[in-house]
Amino acid sequence: MAEVIKMPKMSDTMEEGVIASWLVKEGDEVSSGDILAEVETDKATMELESYEDGVILYIGIKEGDAVPVDGVIAIIGEKGEDIKDLLKEIENGGSSDKSEKSKESKSEDKDKSDDKKSEKDSEEKIDASDVNATLITMPKMSDTMEEGVIASWLKKEGDTVEAGDILAEVETDKATMELEAYEDGTLLYIGIKEGDAAPIDGVIAVIGEEGADYEKLIKAHEQKSSGGGESKKEDKEERSEDIKSSESKSDSGSPKPTPPSEAVNKEKSGKGKDNGRIFASPLAKKIAKDKGIDLSEVDGSGGNGRIIKSDVENFTPKQKSKESPKKESSSEKSMSIPQVVGEESYEEVKVSQMRKTVAKRLSESKFTAPHFYVTMEINMDKAMEARKSINEVSPVKISFNDMVIKAVASSLRQHPKVNSSWMGDKIRRNNHIHVGMAVAVEEGLLVPVIRFADNKSLSHIATEAKDFAQKAKNKELEPKDWEGNTFTVSNLGMFGVEEFTAIINPPDACILAVGGIKQTAVVKDGQLVPGNVMKVTLSCDHRVVDGAVGSAFLQTLKGLLEDPVRILI
């Protein structure tokens, strides 16, 4: 019998996984224990193992696509087994026969109680695929636009139009813009009069082959948008309300529409100009702006005297009279500013699973946990001397971050309230000390955990830290490596950052942000001498840790790092 393979939950924070690559294909025979695919989670890329023997009958997710936890990704069964019913059940959301029967019985009861509604719902879907025409709908011309008003039509029913021709001028909530045709054909139908409003995606015109049954196309669109069709009476009432609304807008001070015939006549007589207004294609306007050309001096050769691209490119400025420059120079000196031409561009990058999880968890932390911050300066002169001496005998190189982790672990032992978690109706005081170490990777941030850090030596911590950092960059961390932290350290000192604040990493109550060591002037025995100072900032969840508790923790940490011998005791 065929078995469905679902996306497993591979980490405590995983909500969906991306199929990085399939190692099998439909028709392949697999055995229990075979690796079917590589799955990219929010933490690492892991292997999806088969727990059944059989043949891959179906693969439902393509490489690079995401699927939620428990979502169906494949089916394994016997060779030649019929899985049509299983696929149908998956497409219907896994509903059982019982639930389907229940739905059918409810539907029958509903049909009996409302025969008229049943007749409407059972109407055949209108097929307009044979109509050689295209609907022109109201485009969204601004981010806040909800509807547009047809200020004027520049074409009329029966006119032949080409792609690029301007059909109408549309008044949005921000400006009056041109509606351009993207098809060649005949303007068969105009559905919105000048001065009337149309909602976004509302039908305003139809372009197509002359004689095409555009009414059928409109009816099919209305049926699709209304989910079965509304009565003509309701449609007329809605349209009349739209007309009244647009008329009230016109009366309240919005510009009155210009009849199409008048607009065309004015364009012809003014060669693209109408009472100071210039009719030009958007591309022609852009080129003119880039070249510094005054469009009022350009004669249009397009339809109805409209200025097009070639008119601007072939334009030769008229020589000004000799008197004008003299007048300008005598009245004021003008500075010639060069026209800077550039190209705006951007790229959109698909959000990785790791970035999605980082964004979600840190957003929840920032907006649910009331953060407060405590900053302290630590003199690192003795720590620098101690590190130099330790590295002379240590089997592994000790970093300042290793020393901070060890000092943090020792401080947490003395201040257990900082080593806590908010659990909603209770606070968990952790008796064990697991220090999370924030590691930056290409796609986000990982926090491997050094367990029982207070019981480990500096060389032991250094070895684990280096191993975790390498695994994180290679995406080789396992779930046990990043789970169970009770406190987190985030160090940006190696990037030259002097001071910063960090967002608490749940379920911790605190996180320590560590800056770089900076040589500066310090007061010692009443004298101003050079010293090496490091700033640390403790971010605290005020639901768990109070200001006095956080400050006491930092004082202990400061004492341990300023006299590192105490760390080893």
Side-chain angles (χ1 to χ4, degrees):
M1 184 177 176
E3 292 289 337
V4 172
I5 299 175
K6 297 182 178 181
M7 176 62 71
K9 189 176 179 70
M10 296 177 169
S11 75
D12 56 335
T13 58
M14 177 178 171
E15 293 185 353
E16 65 179 10
V18 172
I19 301 296
S21 64
W22 280 104
L23 304 182
V24 296
K25 60 183 183 297
E26 290 184 3
D28 285 358
E29 292 186 5
V30 295
S31 301
S32 178
D34 288 353
I35 305 302
L36 303 179
E38 291 183 334
V39 178
E40 181 188 338
T41 71
D42 56 319
K43 307 273 187 174
T45 300
M46 308 179 74
E47 295 176 336
L48 177 66
E49 187 176 335
S50 172
Y51 296 99
E52 301 286 340
D53 297 336
V55 175
I56 301 294
L57 302 175
Y58 168 76
I59 290 178
I61 305 298
K62 296 179 181 179
E63 291 184 356
D65 286 354
V67 60
V69 171
D70 291 333
V72 177
I73 54 178
I75 298 176
I76 289 181
E78 296 179 0
K79 189 173 183 180
E81 187 174 351
D82 187 5
I83 59 170
K84 289 181 180 177
D85 292 339
L86 193 56
L87 289 174
K88 191 174 181 180
E89 186 177 333
I90 293 168
E91 289 174 359
N92 294 332
S95 59
S96 62
D97 294 337
K98 188 176 180 182
S99 62
E100 288 295 331
K101 288 178 181 178
S102 176
K103 287 180 182 177
E104 287 175 7
S105 63
K106 287 181 181 179
S107 177
E108 288 174 2
D109 293 338
K110 193 174 181 181
D111 290 342
K112 288 178 182 179
S113 63
D114 192 351
D115 292 337
K116 291 182 180 180
K117 189 173 182 180
S118 175
E119 288 174 6
K120 285 184 180 181
D121 292 340
S122 62
E123 285 181 359
E124 291 185 4
K125 186 178 179 181
I126 300 172
D127 183 12
S129 59
D130 58 336
V131 180
N132 192 11
T134 303
L135 294 174
I136 306 297
T137 57
M138 178 62 72
K140 190 177 178 72
M141 295 177 168
S142 76
D143 54 342
T144 57
M145 176 179 170
E146 294 182 356
E147 65 177 14
V149 174
I150 302 296
S152 64
W153 281 103
L154 304 182
K155 299 288 183 180
K156 61 182 183 295
E157 289 184 4
D159 283 358
T160 300
V161 297
E162 296 179 357
D165 286 354
I166 303 303
L167 301 177
E169 291 183 330
V170 177
E171 182 184 334
T172 72
D173 57 331
K174 301 214 172 163
T176 299
M177 306 178 74
E178 295 174 334
L179 177 66
E180 188 174 338
Y182 295 98
E183 301 283 342
D184 296 338
T186 301
L187 186 57
L188 303 174
Y189 168 76
I190 291 177
I192 304 296
K193 296 179 181 179
E194 292 185 354
D196 285 358
I200 301 297
D201 293 331
V203 177
I204 54 179
V206 179
I207 290 178
E209 189 179 82
E210 193 170 352
D213 187 5
Y214 65 83
E215 291 182 355
K216 185 179 180 182
L217 189 65
I218 295 171
K219 287 178 182 178
H221 177 80
E222 289 175 352
Q223 185 187 63
K224 185 178 178 181
S225 61
S226 63
E230 297 178 349
S231 66
K232 292 182 180 179
K233 185 179 178 181
E234 289 175 346
D235 189 59
K236 286 179 181 178
E237 287 175 357
E238 288 180 5
R239 184 165 293 191
S240 66
E241 287 298 322
D242 290 340
I243 292 170
K244 289 177 182 178
S245 174
S246 62
E247 286 175 353
S248 64
K249 287 181 183 178
S250 179
D251 293 339
S252 63
S254 60
K256 293 182 180 179
T258 303
S261 58
E262 291 182 19
V264 171
N265 291 335
K266 287 179 181 179
E267 285 183 75
K268 285 181 179 178
S269 61
K271 291 187 178 181
K273 306 166 189 68
D274 181 10
N275 293 334
R277 184 173 182 179
I278 300 170
F279 292 92
S281 70
L283 183 57
K285 290 179 181 177
K286 184 178 185 303
I287 296 172
K289 184 178 179 182
D290 293 342
K291 291 187 174 183
I293 296 174
D294 185 358
L295 283 175
S296 63
E297 299 178 2
V298 181
D299 292 332
S301 62
N304 302 322
R306 187 163 166 267
I307 300 170
I308 59 176
K309 175 186 173 183
S310 58
D311 297 330
V312 179
E313 289 179 336
N314 300 327
F315 173 71
T316 303
K318 297 177 181 178
Q319 291 185 351
K320 294 183 179 180
S321 62
K322 294 181 181 179
E323 296 178 0
S324 57
K326 288 182 181 179
K327 289 180 180 178
E328 288 177 2
S329 59
S330 61
S331 59
E332 58 176 336
K333 293 182 179 180
S334 60
M335 178 180 175
S336 177
I337 300 176
Q339 187 74 27
V340 179
V341 180
E343 182 180 354
E344 294 182 357
S345 64
Y346 64 88
E347 62 173 330
E348 293 181 349
V349 181
K350 195 173 182 180
V351 180
S352 67
Q353 297 307 300
M354 184 184 298
R355 178 57 61 189
K356 284 181 184 178
T357 302
V358 169
K360 181 180 179 182
R361 283 171 60 81
L362 294 186
S363 294
E364 288 175 353
S365 174
K366 184 67 176 176
F367 299 122
T368 59
H371 285 52
F372 75 89
Y373 310 96
V374 183
T375 302
M376 193 170 284
E377 287 187 351
I378 300 174
N379 191 312
M380 296 293 286
D381 287 343
K382 288 186 178 180
M384 294 175 72
E385 293 174 6
R387 175 174 176 265
K388 185 177 180 182
S389 299
I390 292 170
N391 279 331
E392 290 177 357
V393 295
S394 175
V396 61
K397 188 176 180 181
I398 307 297
S399 68
F400 287 112
N401 194 57
D402 301 329
M403 296 179 72
V404 169
I405 291 173
K406 179 63 178 175
V408 162
S410 299
S411 301
L412 289 172
R413 180 59 62 200
Q414 297 182 48
H415 302 275
K417 288 185 178 179
V418 178
N419 194 45
S420 304
S421 300
W422 177 259
M423 306 298 292
D425 57 347
K426 55 191 173 184
I427 295 174
R428 176 179 292 170
R429 305 283 190 209
N430 298 300
N431 297 322
H432 57 282
I433 296 173
H434 294 347
V435 180
M437 177 186 68
V439 178
V441 293
E442 186 177 351
E443 295 179 354
L445 193 69
L446 290 173
V447 186
V449 180
I450 298 175
R451 301 176 186 278
F452 307 107
D454 56 323
N455 297 329
K456 294 178 178 177
S457 65
L458 274 171
S459 57
H460 193 161
I461 290 173
T463 302
E464 280 194 26
K466 286 179 176 61
D467 184 47
F468 280 145
Q470 190 60 42
K471 280 185 175 180
K473 290 178 181 177
N474 295 336
K475 289 189 174 182
E476 295 174 350
L477 289 174
E478 299 177 13
K480 63 182 179 63
D481 296 331
W482 64 67
E483 295 173 353
N485 49 287
T486 62
F487 187 95
T488 302
V489 173
S490 180
N491 191 341
L492 293 179
M494 66 285 292
F495 298 106
V497 176
E498 295 181 16
E499 181 184 1
F500 70 103
T501 58
I503 300 173
I504 297 168
N505 179 37
D508 301 346
C510 298
I511 184 171
L512 185 72
V514 183
I517 299 173
K518 180 183 178 181
Q519 190 173 45
T520 186
V522 297
V523 178
K524 188 175 182 180
D525 299 329
Q527 300 292 323
L528 199 63
V529 296
N532 295 282
V533 173
M534 180 179 75
K535 286 186 179 181
V536 295
T537 300
L538 184 68
S539 303
C540 304
D541 183 347
H542 217 322
R543 298 172 299 181
V544 182
V545 177
D546 293 328
V549 175
S551 300
F553 168 82
L554 279 189
Q555 282 183 334
T556 301
L557 179 68
K558 176 183 173 74
L560 291 174
L561 288 173
E562 289 186 346
D563 190 5
V565 176
R566 296 167 56 192
I567 300 176
L568 307 176
I569 300 173

